[in-house]
Amino acid sequence: MNRSRRARLALPLLPAAAIAPILLGPAALAESLPSPQPGSQSTAATTLEGTFRVAGTPGFVAVADHDGQPVLDTRPVAADTAHYPAPGTTGPLVVGSKCLSALNGPGLPFALLSDAATPSGCLQVRTTSPAAHVVRFTADDPFSPADGLELGLQEDGLLLVLGTAGSDIELVTEGPVAAPTLDDTELAPDSALSGTATPGAHVVVARDGVVVCEADAADRDADDAGHWTCSPTDALTEGSYTLELFSSTPAGQLAPPVPVEVVVTAEAGASDGSDPGDGAVTDPGDEPSPGDGSGAAGGTGDTGTPGGTDHAGAPDTAAAVADTAPAAPAPQGRLAWTGAEVTGPLTAAVALLAAGIGVMLHRRRRARSGS
């Protein structure tokens, strides 16, 4: 009797246990389900950085305004930096400060964007790479109506949309924009200038608003990727002053201008390693005196003085000076340094210079890409 009564009391509890996760919310429901098996959604995303271009379009991928809505446009002359999951992984696709929205779905005229600062509103996409420097993006988000759709160009349009047919997206640059650098800051008037920048970038070196020289950095596939070299049109003037380095990436992005303090002297051109002194007395720190071999440490045959000289025709005073004065240390460098400090931050004139050179870089980049 007691057993049957306990069984009858337990029966009403079974339905309640079954619906408890639903009543308590999604968190409880997730806890009641088995852990997901490894798959596309469980693959940890490694985020990469770069810039995009869709083949056949006139510009680069960037966020633009379309009837009051942010969209991914392919016409801008400069790309917005994108952060995307590495090929084979899933995560949000962020361009500029916007991400593809989880509210995307089939039939929309363009891809909806949302604020990337709110990750819960971002669509999860999976990246594949069908060729070198090319990627494709497919929505991989079962909680979004866009799940399974691919990112591609509008039919007869210039905006990106999520649909059934995706597009190959070229990686114009890969990695963050690198500020240009200068290899050497101690130069001769006829020195060539060299340094590094974003691979494929166009670099301009200027002084006081005048272009000194310019060059393209080696492409990303070259052995010396990012390295550039240019020869000044006119010889550098001697002295201590500031050169400004500007660069524009292949995606039209401008790196911040970099001021570099340089010292230009004629002595910097000496490459034979000899002491630039007057040659009257042999430098005691360079090498031992030849002597006659009877003295100590290569000194003179009579006294073994370490700094004396016994070369034919050498002044007698040289040995006397070496006997009474400590040997001078060997020169530590061959370049004259003025010790002058470079003045403070760049003035408004330099800011205007940066803007002018930026326009020039854009025009030259567009001219080369159109040729």
Side-chain angles (χ1 to χ4, degrees):
M1 182 68 180
N2 290 337
R3 289 182 182 176
S4 61
R5 184 177 181 183
R6 283 197 297 270
R8 288 194 299 270
L9 292 174
L11 287 176
L13 298 177
L14 295 177
I19 65 173
I22 300 175
L23 296 176
L24 295 177
L29 178 60
E31 292 178 0
S32 68
L33 296 175
S35 300
Q37 297 301 313
S40 61
Q41 286 298 309
S42 62
T43 304
T46 299
T47 301
L48 302 180
E49 182 175 335
T51 53
F52 300 155
R53 165 186 267 161
V54 180
T57 58
F60 306 99
V61 176
V63 177
D65 181 85
H66 179 72
D67 295 334
Q69 293 292 327
V71 295
L72 292 179
D73 202 332
T74 62
R75 291 167 292 185
V77 296
D80 281 339
T81 299
H83 295 87
Y84 58 97
T89 65
T90 298
L93 170 60
V94 178
V95 179
S97 62
K98 302 294 183 180
C99 66
L100 287 176
S101 172
L103 299 178
N104 277 288
L108 295 177
F110 50 80
L112 301 179
L113 303 180
S114 63
D115 192 347
T118 308
S120 60
C122 296
L123 178 71
Q124 300 294 299
V125 301
R126 187 169 184 81
T127 306
T128 56
S129 181
H133 312 308
V134 175
V135 292
R136 294 177 72 96
F137 299 109
T138 303
D140 191 11
D141 194 336
F143 299 103
S144 170
D147 187 41
L149 299 181
E150 298 182 8
L151 185 65
L153 196 62
Q154 289 174 328
E155 185 176 357
D156 300 325
L158 295 170
L159 305 181
L160 293 183
V161 64
L162 284 161
T164 56
S167 298
D168 287 346
I169 297 177
E170 301 173 359
L171 296 174
V172 184
T173 60
E174 299 174 71
V177 175
T181 65
L182 188 65
D183 288 338
D184 299 312
T185 57
E186 296 176 329
L187 306 167
D190 58 350
S191 291
L193 305 180
S194 64
T196 60
T198 299
H202 187 69
V203 179
V204 173
V205 182
R207 180 193 176 193
D208 297 333
V210 178
V211 174
V212 174
C213 63
E214 55 187 305
D216 288 331
D219 190 69
R220 59 189 166 192
D221 293 325
D223 292 337
D224 58 346
H227 189 264
W228 59 269
T229 302
C230 65
S231 298
T233 304
D234 299 315
L236 299 172
T237 57
E238 294 191 40
S240 177
Y241 47 84
T242 299
L243 295 177
E244 296 92 26
L245 307 182
F246 303 85
S247 71
S248 171
T249 73
Q253 294 177 310
L254 296 178
V258 178
V260 179
E261 305 165 12
V262 298
V263 177
V264 181
T265 61
E267 287 84 354
S271 58
D272 59 358
S274 61
D275 188 29
D278 57 12
V281 180
T282 300
D283 186 349
D286 287 344
E287 59 183 10
S289 299
D292 62 3
S294 62
T300 61
D302 295 332
T303 63
T305 305
T309 63
D310 57 359
H311 300 293
D316 293 338
T317 55
V321 171
D323 288 340
T324 57
Q332 299 301 309
R334 306 300 184 188
L335 302 177
W337 177 256
T338 63
E341 296 291 337
V342 175
T343 55
L346 297 177
T347 61
V350 174
L352 293 174
L353 167 65
I357 291 184
V359 173
M360 179 188 70
L361 286 170
H362 272 309
R363 290 176 176 173
R364 294 185 181 185
R365 176 67 63 187
R366 293 295 301 277
R368 282 196 303 274
S369 62
S371 60

